[in-house]
Amino acid sequence: MQNLNAMRDRLAEQPMAETLIGLCLLLLAAFAADFIVRQVLVRLVRRAVARIFPTSNVRGSVYPIVRTLGRVAPALVIHHGVMLVPHLSPGATAVTRNVASAFVIITLAMSVAATLSLINRVYAQRPEAAARPIKGYLELAKILVFAVAAILAISALIERSPLLLLSGLGALAAVLMLVFKDTILSLVASVQLNANDMLRVGDWIEMPKLEADGDVVDIALHTVKVQNWDKTITTIPTWRLIAEPFKNWRGMQEAGGRRIKRSLLIDQTSVGFLDPESKTRLARFAVLDDYLERKSGEIESFNARLREAGRDAVNARRQTNLGAFRAYVDNYLRTHPRIHQQMTLLVRQLEPTPCGLPLEIYCFTSTVAWNDYEGIQSDIFDHLIAILPEFGLRLFQQPSGADLNRLGLARAA
């Protein structure tokens, strides 16, 4: 007993030692509260979430929210326990309590923001989410939550009313907006770009107005750098990506197929009906077997009904070389190993022009690599241009100097 009293007297004579011991006990209490809350609360929530969402991937988003909320417990222990530390100056106590209060406010704001993201993820699984998304509204709510949290945290740090802080900011709002106009615009644009996932480093974008056509190499607050295909660098103000349209080719790269959209200009004077000799010649092409058989049966059936009705033969239907070529191109593309068969594939006629009848090929390659894409496209059109005369068709081409020279020599002869 005497030893304890003596130790107490010695500690009383050393206030610094009592303060250090008190701080150590406070930190131990905070660590204990953090450990208990995380172990107990996280396990309870994990079990509850596993029952509510047994097979959903939402569970992975709930655990970080719980762990974030668990940080509130040690902060509250420090906030209330620091007053019990002996011989601690009032200034140090006030600063510690203010910092702990600000930490609690920011932690709660982060938890609310994460909860809003979880709500969006759960809602996105509903059938109506694609037609009525709520992501924009939730992002706006996040901004408001963090704005309110920032005001409350600053008020807690300086021990002033939030209303007083708001009144002071209101008086400077006009000046701040004028001085930091570009920064504010860039900040808002960056938030929108990130929130809507409009741009990432590595995306291929096209912005002809600013002569930008290449890969995004850097995204900063004020500028976005694009390395063009000629290796030059175009610097775009971030806010212009929100204010003006640009094309992002990321969708094409993620889809795994790149579009071919090109036309063959057919000389319209070469279009005509197929005679028996032409049908026999075209029957050699294996890709036309089904088409010729089906089309011949369809036309024969139609013409037989005309004959039974006693109609003139001028009303009879006949196959055309252009129709046969269109069927050939369609079947050729559908059996091509480098054409994506799960994406749109069309062979269609466009409106006739003074430069011929456009026969458009619309399909997608099975690769997005630029070199491979250009090679596949060139191989296809090499073949189609070379096979065109087999159908009695010609490509339209403006007369060249050699054509005019041959015409002059023919007249002279």
Side-chain angles (χ1 to χ4, degrees):
M1 213 36 206
Q2 292 178 354
N3 293 334
L4 290 176
N5 292 332
M7 184 179 296
R8 187 181 303 168
D9 293 338
R10 284 195 296 270
L11 289 175
E13 295 174 357
Q14 298 178 355
M16 181 63 70
E18 290 187 356
T19 302
L20 291 176
I21 293 174
L23 290 175
C24 291
L25 292 176
L26 180 61
L27 291 177
L28 288 175
F31 280 118
D34 180 69
F35 178 79
I36 294 172
V37 169
R38 285 174 182 264
Q39 292 297 320
V40 176
L41 186 61
V42 170
R43 288 185 179 180
L44 291 176
V45 172
R46 182 173 297 177
R47 292 177 182 176
V49 171
R51 293 178 181 177
I52 299 174
F53 305 103
T55 59
S56 176
N57 59 359
V58 176
R59 288 179 293 177
S61 301
V62 176
Y63 304 148
I65 299 175
V66 178
R67 287 194 291 268
T68 302
L69 284 174
R71 298 171 185 165
V72 174
L76 292 177
V77 170
I78 293 176
H79 180 272
H80 295 287
V82 71
M83 300 178 63
L84 302 178
V85 177
H87 307 297
L88 191 64
S89 65
T93 302
V95 170
T96 304
R97 286 172 57 86
N98 294 343
V99 172
S101 298
F103 179 81
V104 170
I105 293 171
I106 294 174
T107 301
L108 292 176
M110 294 174 63
S111 301
V112 172
T115 303
L116 293 175
S117 298
L118 176 62
I119 292 173
N120 181 66
R121 180 172 296 184
V122 174
Y123 177 78
Q125 299 178 356
R126 299 174 61 88
E128 65 271 18
R132 297 180 179 178
I134 62 172
K135 183 177 181 180
Y137 303 105
L138 295 179
E139 293 294 338
L140 178 60
K142 288 182 186 180
I143 294 175
L144 294 176
V145 167
F146 282 116
V148 172
I151 294 173
L152 294 178
I154 295 174
S155 300
L157 289 173
I158 65 177
E159 294 185 345
R160 293 291 185 272
S161 171
L163 297 178
L164 180 62
L165 184 62
L166 286 174
S167 64
L169 291 176
L172 295 175
V175 177
L176 290 174
M177 291 184 66
L178 180 62
V179 174
F180 299 104
K181 181 188 69 171
D182 293 338
T183 301
I184 294 173
L185 287 174
S186 299
L187 176 61
V188 174
S190 297
V191 171
Q192 292 181 345
L193 289 173
N194 293 328
N196 299 316
D197 196 20
M198 297 170 61
L199 198 66
R200 302 176 189 169
V201 173
D203 283 354
W204 170 17
I205 69 170
E206 233 182 289
M207 204 169 184
K209 190 172 182 180
L210 298 180
E211 298 183 356
D213 183 12
D215 291 334
V216 176
V217 295
D218 182 59
I219 301 176
L221 177 62
H222 295 91
T223 59
V224 173
K225 293 182 180 179
V226 178
Q227 185 176 44
N228 301 311
W229 302 124
D230 59 359
K231 302 305 179 183
T232 59
I233 300 293
T234 298
T235 302
I236 305 173
T238 307
W239 62 268
R240 296 196 67 169
L241 294 169
I242 299 297
E244 300 175 10
F246 69 94
K247 181 187 290 186
N248 192 330
W249 290 82
R250 189 202 313 159
M252 176 270 294
Q253 295 171 334
E254 292 177 347
R258 187 168 177 181
R259 186 183 69 176
I260 295 175
K261 185 181 179 183
R262 184 181 291 185
S263 297
L264 292 170
L265 295 177
I266 306 297
D267 188 343
Q268 298 174 77
T269 61
S270 65
V271 178
F273 293 115
L274 290 177
D275 53 28
E277 181 183 350
S278 299
K279 292 181 182 179
T280 302
R281 186 175 66 253
L282 295 180
R284 297 175 300 154
F285 297 108
V287 295
L288 287 177
D289 288 344
D290 293 339
Y291 168 78
L292 292 176
E293 182 179 353
R294 176 178 54 81
K295 203 66 175 178
S296 297
E298 177 186 329
I299 291 176
E300 287 297 331
S301 176
F302 180 84
N303 292 340
R305 289 195 298 269
L306 282 180
R307 289 192 296 270
E308 291 174 0
R311 303 305 297 267
D312 193 280
V314 73
N315 296 300
R317 290 175 55 186
R318 299 169 61 184
Q319 295 185 35
T320 64
N321 56 354
L322 182 57
F325 180 68
R326 184 160 46 86
Y328 175 86
V329 176
D330 185 83
N331 292 331
Y332 172 76
L333 294 175
R334 293 190 185 279
T335 57
H336 198 290
R338 304 301 302 276
I339 295 298
H340 205 305
Q341 301 301 322
Q342 280 69 48
M343 293 186 176
T344 305
L345 195 158
L346 292 173
V347 181
R348 60 175 182 167
Q349 293 182 26
L350 302 181
E351 184 177 356
T353 69
C355 294
L357 175 65
L359 185 70
E360 184 181 74
I361 287 84
Y362 190 105
C363 60
F364 291 81
T365 62
S366 57
T367 179
V368 298
W370 192 4
N371 273 344
D372 295 341
Y373 164 78
E374 293 294 349
I376 295 169
Q377 181 174 233
S378 299
D379 289 342
I380 289 173
F381 280 87
D382 287 349
H383 175 76
L384 295 181
I385 292 173
I387 203 73
L388 195 63
E390 293 286 342
F391 293 81
L393 295 169
R394 296 188 303 272
L395 286 179
F396 182 89
Q397 181 172 295
Q398 295 283 359
S400 65
D403 296 325
L404 297 178
N405 189 31
R406 283 196 299 269
L407 180 61
L409 293 176
R411 287 184 177 179

